[in-house]
Amino acid sequence: MNKKDIVSFSYNELQQEMKEIGEKAFRGKQIYEWLHVKLAEDFSQMTNLSKGLREKLEAFYEIPQMHVEAHQISKKDPTEKFLFRLWDGNMIESVLMKYDYGNSVCISSQAGCRMGCRFCASTIGGLQRNLASSEMLRQIYQIQKISGERVSNVVVMGTGEPLDNYDNFLKFIHMLSDEHGLHISQRSITASTCGIVPNMRRLAEEGLQITLALSLHGSSQEKRKKLMPVANRYNLREVLEACDYYFEKTGRRVTFEYSLVKDVNDQPEDIKELTEILQRRNCHFNLIPVNPVRERDYERPDRKNALEFKNKLEKNGINVTIRRERGSDIDGACGQLRRRHAAASEGETDEIICND
Ligand code: SAH
């Protein structure tokens, strides 16, 4: 018999579940606290439950295994990267970034990705599978336990497309911000999408307060299509309308992300088109000089050109930041650690550094 993943039950569901196995609902509350506040990884730790109940839990449920396969600590900045091995052997990566205002964790939402963005390492091997809500949560839990410090911000910007794993992603947001769990404010959570229009609209209607980031990357439909296959499905106009809808429904300013690629989307016409798109929107624009990926031949513009690009947009009244580079010595770009690990185990490349 397959055991159920107990960490993916919401607070109410777990109480209901306990009733169904003949226990009092409040046992569900106790277990929820063990799993989502005390971050227990084993039923034997749940010392306020009877031995009989613990055995019953053991028989019917599991806390799916999530092993730290590699832990890299940057020497350049306070950034750490984690590679987790899941119960079925899939690998996912997460990043801890320490800032003055608190600790931020970047998590993966899928093992692999099927979106195919041309400059991204995460998508090279395609999609393996969706992550369960528990697997999204536990990247944060594990990092909080290992670092011994509270996580205050979460960004869903690791491997995968959260809106391609909609139900699990939505449940994850509810559970992460639930007062009975880690209780991270929704305003401190950002999720990034490549622009799956129907699910952006659905998300707008969920009554959430999370920040939505759109991976724009192209200043026109044509340019976007060159970098992002998803643009063949949803055109730029529809995507921008979905962003406007998100703002209208939630009052949350959308962030536009733009991976700046040398000689591809860093041209004068891009400044012009971007200005048109951004000027009349209440939004934030985040430039990410592209992180070159071994398997792709896109180049990063030099710092001077990226700054010039930023300045020109600012002159046109756009609110721009350049994403500070973090962890460049530890495979900072999305999917690079996971990718390198896969290649290393196929005997294809250099060894992985493992610091744990
Ligand atoms: N699927 C989501 C989350 C992806 S990762 C999305 O598409 O938004 C978060 C951001 O990093 C995305 O904007 C993604 O396009 C960008 N990104 C991926 N690989 C990159 C690279 N090599 N250099 C710069 N940005 C990259």
Side-chain angles (χ1 to χ4, degrees):
M1 191 188 84
N2 271 347
K3 293 185 186 180
K4 292 183 186 173
D5 166 11
I6 198 165
V7 192
S8 283
F9 286 110
S10 70
Y11 188 64
N12 289 336
E13 283 169 351
L14 193 54
Q15 291 175 63
Q16 191 55 38
E17 184 72 16
M18 286 303 105
K19 281 203 267 180
E20 276 164 28
I21 62 162
E23 298 290 333
K24 296 253 163 47
F26 85 93
R27 293 293 179 204
K29 295 186 185 178
Q30 288 177 314
I31 299 166
Y32 198 88
E33 187 182 14
W34 276 112
L35 295 171
H36 300 278
V37 179
K38 297 176 184 160
L39 313 183
E41 286 175 57
D42 208 302
F43 294 118
S44 66
Q45 293 173 288
M46 303 183 180
T47 46
N48 58 354
L49 308 181
S50 70
K51 192 151 175 283
L53 175 54
R54 277 186 267 153
E55 278 167 7
K56 202 161 159 186
L57 293 176
E58 197 78 63
F60 293 128
Y61 305 98
E62 64 184 346
I63 303 171
Q65 209 194 36
M66 210 167 139
H67 174 78
V68 183
E69 188 77 13
H71 177 192
Q72 302 184 343
I73 302 172
S74 169
K75 293 187 181 70
K76 290 188 176 169
D77 45 51
T79 300
E80 299 177 28
K81 195 142 193 177
F82 298 83
L83 185 72
F84 295 109
R85 178 159 36 86
L86 304 178
W87 60 273
D88 61 354
N90 268 306
M91 301 282 184
I92 53 168
E93 59 183 66
S94 327
V95 188
L96 165 66
M97 291 160 287
K98 298 185 178 181
Y99 296 98
D100 297 339
Y101 58 80
N103 290 345
S104 182
V105 168
C106 173
I107 66 147
S108 296
S109 55
Q110 296 179 311
C113 183
R114 57 179 182 151
M115 295 299 132
C117 298
R118 305 270 181 247
F119 47 81
C120 179
S122 292
T123 198
I124 292 171
L127 176 68
Q128 260 65 55
R129 68 167 171 87
N130 280 332
L131 297 188
S133 314
S134 65
E135 291 169 324
M136 291 183 238
L137 288 167
R138 290 186 61 228
Q139 295 172 55
I140 302 158
Y141 296 177
Q142 292 257 25
I143 290 178
Q144 183 156 301
K145 279 176 80 168
I146 294 167
S147 70
E149 291 176 40
R150 189 175 155 76
V151 171
S152 52
N153 291 268
V154 172
V155 294
V156 187
M157 291 192 182
T159 297
E161 166 53 47
L163 300 191
D164 188 38
N165 181 13
Y166 191 88
D167 294 341
N168 293 348
F169 164 71
L170 184 66
K171 193 169 190 190
F172 155 77
I173 298 291
H174 283 300
M175 289 173 77
L176 184 62
S177 53
D178 187 339
E179 58 176 339
H180 303 99
L182 274 200
H183 198 187
I184 293 185
S185 154
Q186 288 188 359
R187 289 170 172 259
S188 305
I189 305 173
T190 299
S192 176
T193 179
C194 60
I196 301 188
V197 168
N199 287 350
M200 291 168 72
R201 290 186 163 268
R202 234 172 120 189
L203 192 69
E205 288 167 1
E206 303 283 0
L208 300 175
Q209 277 294 293
I210 65 168
T211 300
L212 182 66
L214 174 80
S215 293
L216 184 61
H217 305 326
S219 62
S220 65
Q221 169 62 7
E222 283 316 304
K223 287 220 172 181
R224 213 166 173 261
K225 255 167 50 179
K226 281 197 185 125
L227 293 169
M228 308 174 74
V230 70
N232 292 307
R233 186 92 182 261
Y234 306 109
N235 71 42
L236 182 57
R237 188 183 43 78
E238 291 176 273
V239 173
L240 293 172
E241 279 169 10
C243 291
D244 295 343
Y245 188 64
Y246 190 85
F247 178 62
E248 189 189 308
K249 285 284 179 190
T250 62
R252 304 286 296 158
R253 202 167 64 147
V254 173
T255 295
F256 290 95
E257 292 161 284
Y258 194 87
S259 297
L260 197 62
V261 189
K262 190 174 172 201
D263 302 333
V264 176
N265 63 3
D266 62 347
Q267 304 295 304
E269 79 246 22
D270 295 308
I271 307 260
K272 189 170 159 275
E273 307 248 25
L274 284 174
T275 303
E276 256 167 52
I277 292 173
L278 302 167
Q279 221 164 27
R280 57 201 169 85
R281 292 190 159 84
N282 191 352
C283 63
H284 184 88
F285 188 73
N286 197 8
L287 270 180
I288 319 166
V290 81
N291 247 314
V293 168
R294 196 166 59 98
E295 293 84 347
R296 305 285 201 236
D297 53 7
Y298 288 122
E299 273 181 64
R300 162 194 290 252
D302 58 37
R303 181 89 195 148
K304 189 174 137 275
N305 290 357
L307 274 174
E308 247 172 51
F309 198 85
K310 171 179 186 269
N311 291 341
K312 283 184 186 152
L313 285 170
E314 274 177 340
K315 267 205 199 108
N316 294 347
I318 314 295
N319 182 350
V320 189
T321 46
I322 298 190
R323 188 190 285 177
R324 235 194 306 160
E325 194 183 11
R326 283 269 193 154
S328 57
D329 56 333
I330 53 167
D331 303 293
C334 294
Q336 291 199 10
L337 172 60
R338 178 174 168 274
R339 183 79 204 130
R340 197 148 72 86
H341 196 275
S345 49
E346 284 155 19
E348 196 190 290
T349 183
D350 47 5
E351 245 177 86
I352 192 140
I353 316 146
C354 180
N355 303 326
D356 61 346

